[in-house]
Each structure stands twice: as C-alpha cells, then as structure tokens.
C-alpha cells in the first residue's frame, strides 16, 4: 500500500519538495509521510541537517522504520506516530515542512495549521501538496465520506491566517497531477 502511495504521488511529491528548495543542512519535517517517498527523496539533498517524519498511523510508522532503517540508524531521520494538530516537536525546530494529501483529513484545519506554524523557525517554509475538489470528486465514493475538500484559495487563506507570508499557489499540470496544487508560504520573522 505505501509503495503505491509513493508511485501515485511521485509528481506531487517532487513539486512540493521543489517549493521548499531543500538544502543539505535543512531541518526538514514531512508531516503525514504515508509511503515515505518525500523523506527518501529529501534524503538525497538533506545530508548534514536532520529529517523528521510524523504519521498518524502506527502501522505506517513501523513500515517506514523497516524501509528507511539506514537513515534512522545513521541518525539522519526520526520517525514518530503523532497527530498533526499536536506535533511532539519543540517550537521553531525545523525550517522546512511539507505535507502532501493530508489536509483532507484535518478535523480542525486551523489547529493543524497552527501546530505546523509553531514548529517552523522564523523565515522557514511550509509547502502543502493537495488535489482540488474537481480532481477529488472524480474518485467517486472513495472521497465522498471523511474527506474535506479545499479550493487553492482556501488553503492559501488558512496559511495566511496562521501567520505565513508570501503565500502562493502553483497549479500542477503533469500527466498525473492535473487538478493538483502546491501552496507554500514563509513563517513570518
């Protein structure tokens, strides 16, 4: 299942990470890492910094520990089970954060956004990759229950209200990414 997430979301993952402009010494968090594709891709760049991955599912975290054991053993990656709305990280710990295809499941989006804002250092960047309603509704019954769908301007507003500036949205147009977006912003200094 997690390998399928990585394949199906590869273009969105790449676009979301590109919005972060990762550097070798970054302190990077993947919030809701699912298949771990973003962490594995980020590890190619983040060589002297540190990476954190949180996911709500204990099973996903266990699978990621197996799949990325060398990154964990080398001290480059910490993985944990956590709720995005209550991140177990200290204030201002990381300077780059991504989350892909998670916003649909945030019961209280303002609380989740505030939690992300809290752990990002001043001047740090957040990038959210997601599919808009026009794409999500094509999945029929799969997204009919339990998913909150967002237009790009609503995601941008959530970010701005949480204290991010220079918020912008890029509409993706790849073979698999038509109808998907990356919204990013910088935590105010």
């Amino acid at each position: 299942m997690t390998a399928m997430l990585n394949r199906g979301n590869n273009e969105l993952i790449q676009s979301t990470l590109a919005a972060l402009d990762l550097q070798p010494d970054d302190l990077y968090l993947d919030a809701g890492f699912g298949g771990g594709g973003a962490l594995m891709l980020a590890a190619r760049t983040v060589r002297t910094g540190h990476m954190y991955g949180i996911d709500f599912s204990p099973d996903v975290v266990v699978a990621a520990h197996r799949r990325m054991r060398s990154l964990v053993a080398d001290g480059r990656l910490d993985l944990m089970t956590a709720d995005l709305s209550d991140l177990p990280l200290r204030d201002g710990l990381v300077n780059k954060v991504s989350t892909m295809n998670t916003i649909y499941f945030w019961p209280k989006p303002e609380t989740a956004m505030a939690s992300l804002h809290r752990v990002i250092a001043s001047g740090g960047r957040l990038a959210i990759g997601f599919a808009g309603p026009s794409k999500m509704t094509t999945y029929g019954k799969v997204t009919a229950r339990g998913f909150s769908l967002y237009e790009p301007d609503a995601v941008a507003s959530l970010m701005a209200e949480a204290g991010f500036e220079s918020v912008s949205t890029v509409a993706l147009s790849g073979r698999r990414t038509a109808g998907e977006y990356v919204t990013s912003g910088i935590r105010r200094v």
Side-chain angles (χ1 to χ4, degrees):
M1 174 75 168
T2 57
M4 183 180 73
L5 289 172
N6 290 338
R7 278 191 307 276
N9 292 310
N10 189 49
E11 292 175 57
L12 180 61
I13 290 168
Q14 288 182 34
S15 297
T16 304
L17 291 181
L20 292 177
D21 187 29
L22 288 173
Q23 300 299 311
D25 62 344
D26 277 335
L27 301 173
Y28 165 67
L29 167 65
D30 186 356
F33 62 81
L39 287 167
M40 290 182 283
L41 188 57
R44 296 177 187 171
T45 302
V46 180
R47 308 291 296 169
T48 58
H50 194 78
M51 299 185 306
Y52 301 86
I54 66 107
D55 201 280
F56 190 74
S57 167
D59 292 338
V60 166
V61 174
V62 168
H65 269 282
R66 283 192 303 265
R67 192 171 43 262
M68 294 183 270
R69 69 179 146 262
S70 65
L71 291 170
V72 173
D74 291 345
R76 295 179 56 207
L77 173 64
D78 287 316
L79 298 169
M80 58 198 93
T81 303
D83 186 327
L84 197 93
S85 293
D86 188 23
L87 292 168
L89 302 172
R90 69 175 165 78
D91 294 2
L93 175 65
V94 296
N95 66 323
K96 304 278 175 76
V97 176
S98 69
T99 186
M100 279 97 24
N101 290 325
T102 64
I103 194 167
Y104 329 113
F105 308 110
W106 299 355
K108 295 180 181 175
E110 295 82 5
T111 303
M113 195 67 73
S115 183
L116 290 167
H117 184 269
R118 179 185 62 75
V119 303
I120 299 173
S122 294
R125 182 172 285 277
L126 169 64
I128 300 175
F130 65 101
S134 62
K135 182 169 186 171
M136 292 297 283
T137 56
T138 65
Y139 298 124
K141 292 181 181 179
V142 172
T143 59
R145 294 178 190 223
F147 284 72
S148 296
L149 306 182
Y150 293 89
E151 293 289 351
D153 60 338
V155 176
S157 291
L158 277 170
M159 288 180 72
E161 289 165 12
F164 291 92
E165 59 188 12
S166 302
V167 176
S168 63
T169 299
V170 174
L172 306 181
S173 59
R175 186 174 65 86
R176 290 187 178 181
T177 58
E180 296 180 355
Y181 304 89
V182 175
T183 300
S184 63
I186 299 169
R187 188 182 194 276
R188 290 188 186 119
V189 178

